[in-house]
Amino acid sequence: MVQLDEKIYFYLFLIIPVMIVIFVALQIWKKRTQRKFADLTLLKRITPNSSNFKSTLKLIILLFGLSFLIIGLVNPKIGTKLETVKREGVDIVFALDVSKSMLAEDIAPNRLEKAKRLVSEIINQLGSDRIGIIAYAGQAFPQLPITTDYGAAKMFLQSMNTDMLSSQGTAINEAINLATTYYDDEQQTNRILFIISDGEDHSEGITIDAVDKAVEEGIRIFTVGVGQAKGAPIPIKRNGVVQSLKKDAQGEVVITKLNEEILKEIANEGNGEYINGSNTDEAVEFIKQQLNQIDKTEFEAKQFAEYKDQFQWFLGVGLFFLFMDIFLLERKTKWLKKLNLFNEDA
């Protein structure tokens, strides 16, 4: 487990592209000025040891040195000791719809990005709860098992997209059935399932049967709707540019709509609540209130208790590169000149 102490220093990496631009500009200015002074043949005779490669090499070494120094300032820490601690909370599983309909842009920037933001904001409100993530479309896929590592959860969450599952459609019952396998039967914690979707269910099974099974296992199901009831087309993009709109077998543009009725039915049968996700702040606040009303259960979790600083290694490497840059001359090295590896005499 890696922990970063001072993330604000990552902004110093913005210096690197600025230095590259300045270097390129200086090289262009230098060549233009030299050509005004003398032609290329004469310049080579006057400055036979001048090396363009060495100038570039010095810049690369300098940038490596600065990069390691910046990472040293960030101060990465590595967890060295795992210990078991007792925590109180609930087990929460997020089932996120990643079907193509979630690309509809009737809610900014699109339904999927809105859903991911909602989940991320909910995670920010949690304390000692354990969380898991499921991705589903025509089938369900376990994205992250139950864990207390919120950082890892957010990383997996951001990587989710509509291309991660080859089987398209929206089978909510598959997600519910998979969620029932997430919880630890040995530790009888309160169990919550959040289904974040536009509610378009194309599965052949009966979703309510899956809900009833989940309720029997002590799972409360909350549903969060993303999208608009009036619907929107599904854009097909390439490199961020809309190429066309998704069409059905008859060549008609597909309009995907938020189906609140099925989401409300699932929440009602699942002893939960339906939340409209259009307003992120209101939705997150309502969910926070609901979770606060649920009794917390004590459970055991493993976490890193000790972290050791690693900044010294990065500072050491950074200083090494800086000393190399200082002692590396811009003129040609004799033995490299004989080899002419970079065809500088051509």
Side-chain angles (χ1 to χ4, degrees):
M1 181 65 181
V2 177
Q3 193 177 73
L4 302 176
D5 244 14
E6 302 291 343
K7 295 180 183 178
I8 193 171
Y9 286 115
F10 276 127
Y11 285 112
L12 291 176
F13 276 110
L14 295 174
I15 296 172
I16 291 177
V18 173
M19 291 181 66
I20 293 173
V21 170
I22 293 173
F23 173 79
V24 172
L26 283 173
Q27 291 301 309
I28 294 171
W29 173 81
K30 183 179 176 182
K31 285 186 177 181
R32 286 179 179 175
T33 305
Q34 287 175 339
R35 285 173 183 172
K36 289 180 181 178
F37 175 73
D39 60 34
L40 188 61
T41 305
L42 182 59
L43 282 172
K44 285 187 175 181
R45 290 179 180 176
I46 297 172
T47 56
N49 292 320
S50 177
S51 172
N52 293 327
F53 167 74
K54 282 294 206 51
S55 298
T56 305
L57 180 61
K58 278 179 66 66
L59 175 69
I60 292 172
I61 292 173
L62 176 62
L63 295 181
F64 267 112
L66 288 176
S67 297
F68 278 98
L69 288 179
I70 291 169
I71 296 172
L73 290 173
V74 172
N75 190 17
K77 293 182 177 182
I78 296 178
T80 57
K81 183 180 178 182
L82 266 176
E83 69 177 19
T84 301
V85 296
K86 291 187 180 295
R87 306 177 69 167
E88 285 190 346
V90 297
D91 284 349
I92 302 171
V93 174
F94 296 98
L96 191 61
D97 186 350
V98 293
S99 61
K100 294 294 184 184
S101 65
M102 293 293 284
L103 294 175
E105 298 176 347
D106 51 354
I107 188 166
N110 61 40
R111 295 177 184 177
L112 180 58
E113 291 304 316
K114 180 71 169 182
K116 287 159 67 171
R117 184 187 170 194
L118 278 164
V119 174
S120 181
E121 290 296 328
I122 294 169
I123 292 173
N124 288 341
Q125 301 299 319
L126 302 179
S128 301
D129 307 295
R130 294 188 296 191
I131 57 176
I133 300 176
I134 291 171
Y136 76 94
Q139 60 187 23
F141 177 78
Q143 182 77 352
L144 178 73
I146 287 286
T147 180
T148 55
D149 189 342
Y150 294 170
K154 287 187 176 182
M155 182 182 69
F156 278 98
L157 177 67
Q158 292 308 313
S159 68
M160 296 175 73
N161 58 73
T162 58
D163 296 322
M164 62 189 301
L165 296 177
S166 58
S167 177
Q168 281 301 311
T170 308
I172 296 177
N173 58 330
E174 293 284 338
I176 296 173
N177 288 332
L178 179 59
T180 60
T181 67
Y182 260 56
Y183 305 97
D184 189 349
D185 290 331
E186 293 182 5
Q187 296 180 337
Q188 295 299 317
T189 55
N190 284 313
R191 304 170 178 185
I192 304 295
L193 170 61
F194 283 102
I195 298 173
I196 303 94
S197 172
D198 55 21
E200 287 195 331
D201 187 8
H202 303 293
S203 64
E204 296 178 0
I206 302 173
T207 303
I208 299 305
D209 288 345
V211 174
D212 291 339
K213 179 184 175 183
V215 171
E216 289 176 4
E217 297 192 20
I219 301 171
R220 289 184 64 188
I221 302 176
F222 290 79
T223 56
V224 182
V226 286
Q228 299 292 333
K230 64 182 180 181
I234 303 172
I236 299 173
K237 294 184 178 182
R238 180 176 296 174
N239 298 325
V241 179
V242 177
Q243 301 292 315
S244 61
L245 301 175
K246 186 177 181 181
K247 297 179 180 180
D248 58 21
Q250 287 72 42
E252 299 291 330
V253 173
V254 174
I255 300 297
T256 172
K257 301 179 180 180
L258 170 63
N259 187 345
E260 288 189 298
E261 295 305 314
I262 191 168
L263 293 174
K264 288 178 179 178
E265 185 179 3
I266 293 170
N268 185 53
E269 292 290 329
N271 297 327
E273 296 280 350
Y274 167 74
I275 304 106
N276 187 297
S278 298
N279 188 308
T280 303
D281 292 338
E282 289 182 4
V284 171
E285 182 60 30
F286 180 80
I287 290 169
K288 179 182 176 181
Q289 292 174 5
Q290 292 293 313
L291 292 176
N292 287 338
Q293 295 172 11
I294 299 172
D295 293 334
K296 310 295 182 183
T297 307
E298 188 179 84
F299 58 84
E300 291 184 349
K302 289 186 179 295
Q303 67 178 32
F304 284 100
E306 292 182 7
Y307 289 84
K308 285 191 176 180
D309 294 330
Q310 305 297 318
F311 71 90
Q312 63 273 16
W313 304 107
F314 294 97
L315 292 181
V317 174
L319 290 173
F320 170 75
F321 277 117
L322 291 182
F323 278 115
M324 277 187 63
D325 182 73
I326 291 170
F327 291 106
L328 183 67
L329 302 178
E330 289 194 17
R331 65 190 182 193
K332 293 178 182 177
T333 307
K334 287 185 179 180
W335 63 273
L336 277 177
K337 185 178 178 181
K338 291 178 181 178
L339 292 174
N340 194 24
L341 292 174
F342 307 101
N343 197 29
E344 293 189 290
D345 294 331

